[in-house]
Amino acid sequence: MSDSRPIGVFDSGIGGLTVVKALRDLLPNENIFYLGDTARVPYGPKSPETVQRYAVELAGILTRKNAKALVVACNTVSSVALPLLTKKFSMPVIGVIEPGARAALQATRNRHIGVIGTRATIRSGAYEKTLRAADNNVRVSSRACPLLVPLIEEGLLNDDVTDRMIMRYLEPMLADGIDTLVLGCTHYPLLTDAISRMLKRQVMLVDSAQNCARAVEETLDQQSLRATPPSRGELHVALTDAADNFLNVARDALQLSFGEIELQPLP
Ligand code: DGL
């Protein structure tokens, strides 16, 4: 039996479209309802309590849209609100931390992993805890990179200023000997080319978007929630405030197509 209810995906804003892109590529038959909280982005500098409250509100909206699963396409929300969402909502809830950590552990050879993300994500220690819980011997170097999100939102994906910031943030970790780097923010996959170009030696990049999409596939299979052919998945995008230019940056960079954007009022 095919389950055509949408996968509900949410993020603090537009960045979670990197996860949508990975979901569209991997699960083309699935309908997706994407909700971006553009009225209140960024979440990265906010307190865990505020992010948790926002997350519950957004998940509530997606429940009312009849979502069959919730995908938390935001590292900041995943790092501080996943247990709460899992407790409050009955459908499967999939975040980006666990899948990213799992992929990083598979990729590393010297057991030294770097993690970059927003201030809230790094302060929460969520990646570090998840990595250490799976492997006690792993070494983790973390760094908040608060200036990368605004640079990406300005569309400076291939730009000297962005390159310089990347190096400023990453140099201490590279000097420390990481061999794997977790891109722990939904915006960062848009910098994959720039980061790869800037890294002089071989460092494996772990993209939370692709690994999250694989975890969603696994969950849908386990719980018999897959939409099957001939269902052709559609992408519906709703935002809590008018979109700015970053929507065009993301749409072009990710080559995503979606119809008119719905304005979703907050409760
Ligand atoms: N979506 C956020 C994340 O993945 C980045 C943007 C924000 O600070 O809200 O952490």
Side-chain angles (χ1 to χ4, degrees), residues 11-12 41-45 74-76 118 121 149 184-187:
D11 175 41
S12 57
V41 70
Y43 285 9
C74 177
N75 282 262
T76 303
T118 64
T121 298
V149 164
C185 171
T186 41
H187 284 55

Side-chain angles (χ1 to χ4, degrees), residues 32-81:
I32 295 176
F33 191 103
Y34 179 86
L35 178 59
D37 193 4
T38 43
R40 300 184 293 199
V41 70
Y43 285 9
K46 296 192 168 75
S47 69
E49 293 74 21
T50 298
V51 174
Q52 284 163 0
R53 180 161 52 85
Y54 292 173
V56 170
E57 287 171 6
L58 299 177
I61 294 170
L62 290 172
T63 308
R64 292 189 284 282
K65 302 283 179 196
N66 203 22
K68 62 183 173 185
L70 281 180
V71 177
V72 184
C74 177
N75 282 262
T76 303
V77 175
S78 296
S79 65
V80 300

Side-chain angles (χ1 to χ4, degrees), residues 228-260:
T228 46
S231 156
R232 270 197 50 223
E234 277 178 17
L235 170 61
H236 191 92
V237 176
L239 302 175
T240 56
D241 198 359
D244 62 11
N245 185 50
F246 182 43
L247 184 65
N248 298 329
V249 172
R251 184 176 6 208
D252 293 351
L254 298 169
Q255 298 183 326
L256 271 176
S257 64
F258 40 84
E260 218 166 286

